[in-house]
Amino acid sequence: FLTRLGAHVGNLVIRARDGVGNPNPLARTIKSSYPLTYELAVFVAAEIQREFEITIGDDEIAYIALHIGSHLERRATHGERLTCVLVSPGYHDIATLLERRVLPALGDDVAIDRVLTRTDVDPADLHADLVISTVPWDVRPANVVIVQPLPTDADLDAVRGAITRIRRQRRRRAITDELLLYFDDALFFRDLDARDAESVIRVLGQRMQERGIIDDEYLAGVLDREHISSTAFTEWLAVPHALTMSAKRTAIAIALYENPIPWGDATVQVVALVAFSAKDRASFQTVFEQFVEVFSDRTDVQRLLRAAQDFPSFIDELVRLIDE
């Protein structure tokens, strides 16, 4: 990786000193689709600029991002397996047949913890994500699916539907909990009077300073970063931030605009000032990528802007868009 990147940087320095451009047709896509990889490239580019006293544009930064992205292993992460309890009377081998029949419908992400062959089971005492029962309880929790002793195709469809619903609920709870670690009602704004990049950054930064999240040096770093390359990651979203992780904690101050405001060579309707803290970098990565991805689609952005009239509605709509 270092050998290939070093060769690329050597050529980059020569091009920069000779004033030769190197257009990158994928620059915008890389910036919007892989924001953290792009930020690593911005950091590398900033170091190269200081070392060789050259200027590096967005196209060259995107090429560095390609080198970094090809090196990083990007794999999807999956949630923990769901737990399942089967409830079926022990008449002959009905319980065994039930287990064999439902296993294909459960897939690899659901584990059967127990098979209960009694009829005097209280569903409220079954602490599992999913309960599949042949006992027809009149009142049952939402995670209970009633099936025939020998489940039909319709029964299996109901089991699959319950798994999908439970997973969605779990995901949305987890997403909400993660977002609330970094978003705050006091850091939420709609239609600020500030309508240019530096003014918006200063307003959001001041609120973060008031809450003890960042200091003057971090805010200055945000403005310096903006001068290196516009932080308009998509046509609707700007994410100003510093290249250091010196904030007291990781947080996001958000400003939504009904009408677009200028940001570098683009216009945006959402500005998210991010304060990075080194101790949160691992847990924040997924949240940050999901957040930026929402703003890659115009329909989703407009839906969010319409729905987010206050902080609770902003979080609710953001969770729904991330989970879709």
Side-chain angles (χ1 to χ4, degrees):
F1 164 68
L2 290 175
T3 300
R4 291 192 297 271
L5 180 61
H8 176 80
V9 169
N11 292 326
L12 183 159
V13 172
I14 293 172
R15 286 195 299 272
R17 287 175 172 169
D18 291 344
V20 177
N22 189 22
N24 187 338
L26 297 177
R28 189 71 179 176
T29 300
I30 293 169
K31 188 174 184 179
S32 61
S33 299
Y34 306 101
L36 289 186
T37 301
Y38 187 86
E39 282 312 294
L40 287 173
V42 170
F43 176 80
V44 172
E47 295 294 316
I48 295 169
Q49 287 185 144
R50 281 193 288 270
E51 179 69 22
F52 296 99
E53 297 181 349
I54 60 175
T55 300
I56 300 177
D58 287 359
D59 286 344
E60 292 284 13
I61 292 175
Y63 279 119
I64 295 174
L66 283 174
H67 279 271
I68 295 173
S70 65
H71 178 65
L72 297 176
E73 183 178 5
R74 303 179 60 85
R75 53 186 158 201
T77 57
H78 300 281
E80 295 179 356
R81 300 177 74 187
L82 298 181
T83 58
C84 176
V85 173
L86 300 184
V87 180
S88 180
Y91 180 74
H92 292 310
D93 56 353
I94 291 296
T96 301
L97 292 174
L98 173 64
E99 184 174 2
R100 290 176 182 172
R101 178 73 170 141
V102 300
L103 272 175
L106 299 181
D108 296 330
D109 294 333
V110 182
I112 297 177
D113 282 356
R114 290 171 290 161
V115 179
L116 304 179
T117 57
R118 311 191 318 270
T119 58
D120 60 341
V121 177
D122 184 349
D125 295 334
L126 300 177
H127 303 295
D129 296 309
L130 174 66
V131 176
I132 302 174
S133 174
T134 61
V135 178
W137 292 305
D138 292 331
V139 178
R140 61 182 188 272
N143 67 327
V144 174
V145 179
I146 305 299
V147 300
Q148 303 297 320
L150 296 177
T152 64
D153 289 342
D155 289 332
L156 298 181
D157 286 342
V159 170
R160 295 186 188 98
I163 293 171
T164 299
R165 184 179 65 255
I166 292 168
R167 281 210 170 282
R168 182 184 302 114
Q169 292 169 346
R170 173 184 281 192
R171 282 196 310 272
R172 291 190 174 182
R173 283 196 300 269
I175 293 170
T176 300
D177 291 343
E178 287 182 335
L179 290 177
L180 291 177
L181 291 174
Y182 309 112
F183 288 94
D184 186 332
D185 192 3
L187 300 176
F188 176 84
F189 302 88
R190 277 208 66 118
D191 293 307
L192 289 169
D193 291 335
R195 301 188 66 83
D196 64 86
E198 182 169 342
S199 298
V200 176
I201 289 172
R202 290 192 181 280
V203 171
L204 298 182
Q206 181 180 355
R207 180 60 63 87
M208 282 190 160
Q209 287 179 299
E210 292 170 357
R211 298 184 66 78
I213 299 170
I214 64 173
D215 55 19
D216 289 339
E217 184 178 354
Y218 191 93
L219 181 55
V222 175
L223 294 169
D224 289 343
R225 163 62 184 87
E226 195 66 40
H227 294 151
I228 295 174
S229 173
S230 170
T231 56
F233 280 89
T234 72
E235 296 179 35
W236 306 279
L237 172 69
V239 188
H241 57 278
L243 289 177
T244 61
M245 294 189 175
S246 58
K248 299 295 187 298
R249 64 180 175 87
T250 298
I252 302 176
I254 193 90
L256 307 183
Y257 288 89
E258 187 72 25
N259 298 309
I261 64 171
W263 201 276
D265 295 331
T267 59
V268 299
Q269 288 180 267
V270 181
V271 180
L273 173 57
V274 181
F276 284 111
S277 170
K279 69 179 186 300
D280 302 322
R281 62 183 181 272
S283 58
F284 183 65
Q285 176 176 344
T286 301
V287 172
F288 184 64
E289 290 186 336
Q290 291 174 330
F291 173 74
V292 173
E293 185 178 353
V294 166
F295 296 92
S296 62
D297 183 274
R298 178 180 176 80
T299 301
D300 288 346
V301 175
Q302 296 308 315
R303 174 176 154 185
L304 178 67
L305 290 170
R306 286 194 302 270
Q309 297 302 313
D310 53 24
F311 181 70
S313 59
F314 166 72
I315 292 295
D316 288 345
E317 190 61 32
L318 185 57
V319 168
R320 278 193 289 269
L321 290 172
I322 287 175
D323 189 48
E324 286 185 350

